[in-house]
Amino acid sequence: MSIEPVHANAEAIAKAAVILHQGGLVAFPTETVYGLGADAENPDAVRKIFTAKGRPADHPLIVHIGSSEMLDDWAQHIPDAAYQLAARFWPGPLTLIMHKPPKVPLIVTGGQPTIALRIPDNPVALNLLRAFGGGIAAPSANRYNRISPTQAQHVVSELGDAVDMILDGGPCAIGLESTIVDLTGEQPVILRPGHINRLQIEESLQRTVSVAQRAQIRAPGMLEIHYAPLTPALLCSSRELQGKVSQLAGQNKRIGLLSYTGQIQNNSQVHSIQMPRSAPDYGKMLYAALHELDELQLDAILVEKLPDTEEWRAINDRLSKATISL
Ligand code: TXA
Ligand code: MG
């Protein structure tokens, strides 16, 4: 049995805040993706998040707060860079890693001495945070290693009745998870690229910022797959696309395609989605398109390769984790 999303009006948000106070789980929209929220100061409630997602206990969560004034309460030894970035980008799709204060249970941070914080830029999320009053620990509201939800219906198909309430605030405006910046070292480091890019962060801090390299070496059989659809997904250059489509169609395969240049026509075997040409629009649509193709239970999904520039970095990062390269 699964529960139905509830239109996120004032009454529903007030009810959601009560559920959080009682130690329950509430899925709610943010500007990036839907989050699966619990009271960040209640270890039993936070434990339910890990169970619902099937997520390993050492995988830390992001704590969402409702105002910048709460920052001093939810982090310690806060560097100037945090105040600068918060002033410029909060509320917004930027998560800051800082030192954890004692009041935050270790289960929230996966046992680490650091904490991830952000103020989301979505009216439902902000109203929920205000109604609740405290910090809300919330990972993306999908099962572990699956595609993040950008619509309330995605949460239903991912988590079913494992949540106590799903607030429906419509499709997410950005559609990709927040940029994560680690401020605990000597240099700020971007751990996860997102809508707010390196150049904007460097401009705000007036210093250079590095982007963390993928820790794991890519080797055959050891591909790091995250955010993946259930259907095998392949990344394919525009040049090789026609050949790959013909090859798979010749083997009687049913194929989904995320098309960028628009060179391939739909037919009985090829279900193609024409993606937007601008990076922000593409990013907003990406997960919904992958969810849509996944539900068709095709034999394979082909994703046409995108430009290798800074504005496409976050999208290329997610695609590299959702696909295998040809
Ligand atoms: O846009 C977002 O960030 C969404 C919405 C719901 O806010 N949340 C999200 O959460 O994407 P999640 O759990 O799917 O991803 C959180 C990421 C993980 O990769 C985790 O490793 C990292 O944040 N993270 C959290 N705390 C950390 C910490 N103390 N140190 C390093 N990384 C941390
Ligand atoms: Mg996630």
Side-chain angles (χ1 to χ4, degrees):
M1 214 193 71
S2 55
I3 67 161
E4 282 303 308
V6 180
H7 175 63
N9 56 23
E11 192 189 337
I13 290 172
K15 193 173 159 203
V18 172
I19 292 174
L20 291 174
H21 276 298
Q22 291 170 341
L25 297 184
V26 174
F28 63 97
T30 80
E31 80 281 35
T32 59
V33 300
Y34 274 73
L36 176 62
D39 177 354
E41 291 174 83
N42 179 342
D44 292 330
V46 172
R47 194 165 296 117
K48 292 182 193 167
I49 293 180
F50 288 91
T51 308
K53 280 184 66 94
R55 177 167 170 141
D58 61 356
H59 215 100
L61 307 176
I62 295 173
V63 175
H64 298 70
I65 54 176
S67 74
S68 292
E69 288 83 70
M70 291 169 73
L71 178 54
D72 293 324
D73 236 20
W74 284 87
Q76 58 180 1
H77 318 304
I78 302 171
D80 288 343
Y83 292 109
Q84 286 163 15
L85 292 174
R88 166 91 191 269
F89 296 111
W90 281 357
L94 180 70
T95 296
L96 302 177
I97 310 283
M98 287 166 284
H99 295 284
K100 180 186 97 64
K103 78 163 190 174
V104 178
L106 276 168
I107 186 169
V108 172
T109 65
Q112 306 209 41
T114 53
I115 182 166
L117 290 177
R118 87 175 187 103
I119 303 180
D121 186 16
N122 171 286
V124 174
L126 287 171
N127 285 331
L128 177 63
L129 282 160
R130 281 182 201 127
F132 176 62
I136 301 179
S140 50
N142 50 282
R143 295 204 42 90
Y144 182 59
N145 274 354
R146 298 278 335 269
I147 310 161
S148 293
T150 55
Q151 300 171 11
Q153 272 308 324
H154 298 158
V155 181
V156 178
S157 46
E158 282 290 313
L159 298 174
D161 62 354
V163 322
D164 297 299
M165 187 176 191
I166 301 172
L167 289 173
D168 187 347
C172 300
I174 290 176
L176 294 178
E177 303 84 349
S178 60
T179 308
I180 301 180
V181 182
D182 184 353
L183 297 174
T184 62
E186 297 210 334
Q187 281 271 358
V189 180
I190 296 175
L191 299 183
R192 180 172 73 184
H195 183 77
I196 294 173
N197 66 35
R198 178 172 61 85
L199 305 178
Q200 291 170 284
I201 293 166
E202 287 184 335
E203 191 201 327
S204 172
L205 294 179
Q206 289 296 303
R207 63 185 295 180
T208 55
V209 170
S210 58
V211 180
Q213 294 303 309
R214 203 79 68 70
Q216 269 170 306
I217 296 168
R218 286 181 150 250
M222 287 194 54
L223 289 169
E224 190 199 18
I225 307 261
H226 277 312
Y227 311 114
L230 292 174
T231 317
L234 311 171
L235 202 56
C236 193
S237 71
S238 304
R239 196 170 45 80
E240 291 164 323
L241 196 57
Q242 180 68 65
K244 193 68 199 166
V245 169
S246 305
Q247 183 199 340
L248 289 169
Q251 297 165 358
N252 270 329
K253 305 273 193 224
R254 292 166 61 238
I255 312 155
L257 174 64
L258 290 195
S259 170
Y260 181 62
T261 56
Q263 54 174 303
I264 309 282
Q265 299 300 313
N266 269 312
N267 60 39
S268 61
Q269 274 175 276
V270 182
H271 185 103
S272 166
I273 297 178
Q274 179 60 51
M275 297 296 285
R277 296 300 289 249
S278 88
D281 292 341
Y282 191 111
K284 178 175 178 174
M285 218 177 119
L286 174 61
Y287 291 152
L290 287 174
H291 274 286
E292 181 186 330
L293 292 179
D294 221 8
E295 281 180 6
L296 295 175
Q297 304 192 321
L298 304 161
D299 296 302
I301 296 172
L302 294 179
V303 180
E304 186 170 2
K305 262 192 195 153
L306 301 166
D308 188 17
T309 56
E310 183 62 31
E311 61 165 348
W312 291 92
R313 187 196 281 266
I315 295 166
N316 285 328
D317 170 77
R318 304 311 187 274
L319 283 178
S320 73
K321 292 170 179 167
T323 60
I324 331 173
S325 265
L326 280 185

